[in-house]
Amino acid sequence: MLSFCRRYRKCFIWAVCVLTAAFGLILLSRSGAGFAQWYAVHLFPLFPNTIGRLLSPLPFSVYEFVLYALVLGFLCFFVVLAWDLFRCRPKAKRLLSGFFRLVLWTVPAIFLMLTLTCTVNYGRTPFGEAAGYDMRDSSADELEQLCQELAAQANEYASLIPLSGEGGLSLASVDLKEETKAAMARLGKQYPSLAGYYPNPKGVTFSWGMSHLRLTGMFSPFTIEANYNQDIPDYEIPYTVCHELTHLKGWIREDEAGFIAYLACRESQEPALQYSGTLNALSYAMSALYSAGRLESYARIYDSLPEQAKIDYRASNRYWEQFETRVAEVSTSLNDSYLKANAQSDGVQSYGRMVDLLLAERRSR
């Protein structure tokens, strides 16, 4: 045992130092002393302004291809290891030793990077508080009024959007990257924490795999990229892109990122984005209205929607039904555990808390 420790002494020292730094930052971010807010404002922007800016011009998701390379690398490693175990045991032993060293060097570094670009930001001042919203319980009447207002907006925007052959939203004529970045930058004039540089959002090549995991988008904390699923129905895409771009400003909580994405789409000058943000926000609000037992109001508001919106909602239901598999259940369970580990005690239910922000913002107007 002593010889084993001496052999990997430098690796162990590195791992202990890096992990201690990472856990120290996490404890500081949850201490309530304002460290996370200071970090989000002053230090986190270094990442999108350096790594994000460097990788932004590339027309593909670097994170996606890094994941493919890792999977391929592990497969090759185990094939070589199996061959060496069969033909040359000493060579296999050296291979395992090198792999163990690599793990000790890289895993702590990956965990520290995740801490610096993601985990610490969970402790920052909540967006509703930072924006000065009156965050409190709301009545069912307020919720119903919110749904009516969003439905009225959907009717307004639906007459302006480009249509697909099925009659729903088509993004074929929309410059998605520039319009979403412009929408986020425009919102940054109202909320300073959202101002500044935005890297290009990137569609994932293997989007079919994301759909099987029930993922519409994915923020990469290692390459600082906003990735989105290109296969999902068009009306979900602009909202998803703005959601992932929000993470690049250090707003990591899912309910906050969803709400900010709605604000960005609403303030956009592109009808397709306005429509996308409104329909996604309405989906959350209508779900809450249904859960509140206002079934007649739910049916009446849904009936008032434009035909374009109903077509898009039906297309979304059809699309996601094909991915209701065991893989999707495991993905949701893992995501739930990750959120709870990062002080979002409601787990996946925190996505529903976006409605509280919608109601609070409505009261502020």
Side-chain angles (χ1 to χ4, degrees), residues 224-246:
I224 319 299
E225 292 174 300
N227 301 298
Y228 64 93
N229 186 332
Q230 299 183 95
D231 288 352
I232 60 178
D234 278 10
Y235 95 88
E236 297 182 43
I237 293 178
Y239 171 82
T240 295
V241 172
C242 289
H243 180 116
E244 300 308 323
L245 287 173
T246 298

Side-chain angles (χ1 to χ4, degrees), residues 331-341 344 346-349:
S331 174
T332 301
S333 178
L334 290 173
N335 189 33
D336 181 58
S337 299
Y338 171 75
L339 293 173
K340 289 178 178 177
Q344 289 188 262
D346 290 339
V348 292
Q349 294 302 314

Side-chain angles (χ1 to χ4, degrees), residues 300-346:
R300 174 172 48 80
I301 294 172
Y302 180 81
D303 287 342
S304 73
L305 291 175
E307 189 59 28
Q308 296 95 321
K310 293 176 182 178
I311 289 171
D312 279 324
Y313 279 150
R314 288 195 293 265
S316 179
N317 289 335
R318 287 195 302 270
Y319 179 79
W320 290 110
E321 279 175 359
Q322 63 184 312
F323 299 108
E324 291 180 356
T325 63
R326 179 59 181 166
V327 173
E329 292 175 8
V330 171
S331 174
T332 301
S333 178
L334 290 173
N335 189 33
D336 181 58
S337 299
Y338 171 75
L339 293 173
K340 289 178 178 177
N342 284 285
Q344 289 188 262
S345 58
D346 290 339

